[in-house]
Amino acid sequence: MKIVVVGQGGREHALASVLGRTADVITTPGNPGIPNSTNIRPEDLEADLFVIGPEVPLVGGLADTLRAQGKLVFGPGADGAQLEGSKVWMKQLLDDAGVPTAAWKPFSDPGPAEAYLRTLRPPYIVKTDGLAAGKGVLVTRDLDTAIADAKHKLSGEAFGESGRRIVIEEALSGPEVSFFAVCGGSDFVLLPTAQDHKRVSDGDQGPNTGGMGAFSPAPDGLDTAEVKTIVRKTLAELKRRGIDYRGMLFGGLMLTPDGPKVLEYNIRLGDPEAQVVLPRLTSDLAHMLVRAAAGATPAEPTSAGACVSVVLACEGYPEAPRTGGVITGVEEAGALEGITVFHAGTARDGQDRLITAGGRVLNITATGSTVAEARDRAYAAIKLIHFPGMRFRTDIAGGI
């Protein structure tokens, strides 16, 4: 079987690696760490399956373009991709589907947004409506900060057109967990659980990022039956709207005292969650995604062990990452037991040296029999890697 993976980050490296256990994989555009990377457009390639990794091409309709060419695609069309492309659209769908979520209101004007924020109690939650690379959510206990953030987003200065509409939500309390559903239109299966760390610094301090690390399995507390009910209601509402959803449904849940409530949906595997969920699979991922893409029910996945992934980021990430530094020690780290180094933001310079080319540079991923063992392995591997300004959290999966 030949599979094309679309994307160039750590998530796509993980997809290519695990799909490559049973299939021949090409990644476009890929990166220096992903074997068989190519700059050929996916529209100009032929394969038995196309797997689209990032949200931007999905929201832009790449899956529709490929399906119009008669290709088998794992990834929703532009209609279903609105689940991530617009938080307003997603929240309305949840309400229509009867899926519990935080109370919310949309705003396009700073005046009414400020007036509404003044009626709430902290913490205040302000979300960008459109795509924001995982950085469009503010959670703060300071009213003035929330008001300033709403104005900054609505002005277009923060996220351009994506931010000219916002959602202000009620604050929920409880542990946050994620789930991943491989959807084939009407049916689905759940992948193993994971938990990520969003803040840039230890102790969940500092700005939000796309993710500084993750571990799998997540701590106990997720009721699988409740998750399946949420996914079924979501797929049923999508069907009612004429949307045949074939792709990944990545949900964030808050386990509140009143039961689980959906915080958000993403239309692809998380990054860095993919880097800890996929390596644990003992079943055939390629076969699973082919069946889902064809609208059939995938086989239930099986998994084993535990996995921890720590992100190595550039100095200045996430606000202004400084790239171009030479990276050393990757091969030595990857030779350690249980270690895989997934490339997230790397390139080659004129001397064929590996250099930093993105805010999040490498995912140091370790498997083990327990989360603690995997964590120890990951941090041991990190000691072998260096690049200028390298930063990472030291508490990923700490205390698990």
Side-chain angles (χ1 to χ4, degrees):
M1 183 189 303
K2 182 178 178 181
I3 297 177
V4 170
V5 172
V6 179
Q8 60 186 7
R11 168 185 46 228
E12 288 73 42
H13 194 171
L15 278 165
S17 175
V18 177
L19 287 168
R21 295 172 183 173
T22 57
D24 295 324
V25 180
I26 294 174
T27 305
T28 176
N31 66 47
I34 306 177
N36 300 320
S37 291
T38 179
N39 287 321
I40 301 174
R41 300 186 318 151
E43 297 93 327
D44 298 326
L45 291 168
E46 295 296 330
D48 300 296
L49 176 69
F50 288 75
V51 179
I52 303 173
E55 64 274 18
V56 172
L58 287 167
V59 171
L62 177 59
D64 299 311
T65 299
L66 296 175
R67 287 188 177 108
Q69 294 178 336
K71 295 169 178 175
L72 190 64
V73 182
F74 182 78
D79 50 7
Q82 292 180 87
L83 280 173
E84 185 167 357
S86 169
K87 287 184 175 61
V88 171
W89 193 89
M90 180 269 293
K91 295 288 281 190
Q92 189 60 60
L93 181 134
L94 290 175
D95 287 348
D96 293 345
V99 173
T101 188
W104 65 285
K105 285 183 178 293
F107 295 93
S108 300
D109 187 283
E114 177 179 348
Y116 182 64
L117 282 167
R118 293 188 180 278
T119 69
L120 303 178
R121 293 181 178 180
Y124 307 98
I125 301 174
V126 183
K127 296 184 175 182
T128 300
D129 176 51
L131 296 179
K135 304 167 191 172
V137 178
L138 173 76
V139 180
T140 180
R141 300 194 66 85
D142 184 75
L143 177 60
D144 290 339
T145 299
I147 291 171
D149 182 74
K151 291 179 178 178
H152 186 50
K153 285 172 176 168
L154 290 171
S155 71
E157 295 174 4
F159 299 105
E161 293 304 313
S162 288
R164 291 192 181 274
R165 186 166 62 166
I166 62 173
V167 168
I168 298 176
E169 287 188 354
E170 70 165 330
L172 300 176
S173 62
E176 184 178 341
V177 296
S178 300
F179 67 84
F180 310 89
V182 176
C183 303
S186 299
D187 213 345
F188 65 94
V189 294
L190 297 177
L191 292 178
T193 59
Q195 186 169 320
D196 75 335
H197 299 257
K198 285 291 187 189
R199 300 283 182 174
V200 73
S201 301
D202 286 4
D204 287 324
Q205 302 298 311
N208 246 350
T209 73
M212 291 298 292
F215 62 95
S216 177
D220 292 338
L222 190 64
D223 187 316
T224 301
E226 290 179 323
V227 171
K228 288 183 176 179
T229 297
I230 287 169
V231 176
R232 286 193 188 98
K233 287 183 176 181
T234 301
L235 291 180
E237 178 60 25
L238 287 166
K239 279 282 189 185
R240 191 187 70 79
R241 297 182 179 206
I243 298 172
D244 185 12
Y245 193 94
R246 302 185 188 185
M248 190 66 64
L249 191 62
F250 166 22
L253 288 178
M254 186 73 82
L255 304 181
T256 76
D258 299 322
K261 295 187 178 183
V262 174
L263 295 171
E264 65 176 354
Y265 273 135
N266 293 318
I267 54 172
R268 35 69 187 183
L269 271 165
D271 185 343
E273 292 93 341
Q275 290 89 306
V276 294
V277 169
L278 299 182
R280 294 185 58 223
L281 293 179
T282 55
S283 50
D284 187 342
L285 178 64
H287 186 253
M288 184 191 312
L289 300 191
V290 162
R291 287 189 58 82
T297 303
E300 287 286 343
T302 57
S303 61
C307 193
V308 172
S309 187
V310 181
V311 171
L312 304 186
C314 280
E315 184 180 3
Y317 176 76
E319 294 94 344
R322 290 182 276 281
T323 60
V326 176
I327 307 167
T328 59
V330 171
E331 291 185 3
E332 291 82 354
L336 296 180
E337 182 180 3
I339 295 294
T340 303
V341 179
F342 292 125
H343 290 233
T346 64
R348 295 281 182 186
D349 67 7
Q351 301 177 52
D352 200 35
R353 297 177 301 182
L354 192 67
I355 61 171
T356 61
R360 293 186 294 174
V361 180
L362 299 169
N363 308 139
I364 311 307
T365 302
T367 55
S369 58
T370 65
V371 170
E373 181 181 48
R375 182 179 187 276
D376 288 345
R377 288 177 172 177
Y379 281 107
I382 287 171
K383 294 179 180 179
L384 301 177
I385 297 176
H386 176 76
F387 55 83
M390 186 175 89
R391 65 183 305 182
F392 58 93
R393 286 183 55 163
T394 64
D395 60 348
I396 302 300
I400 303 302

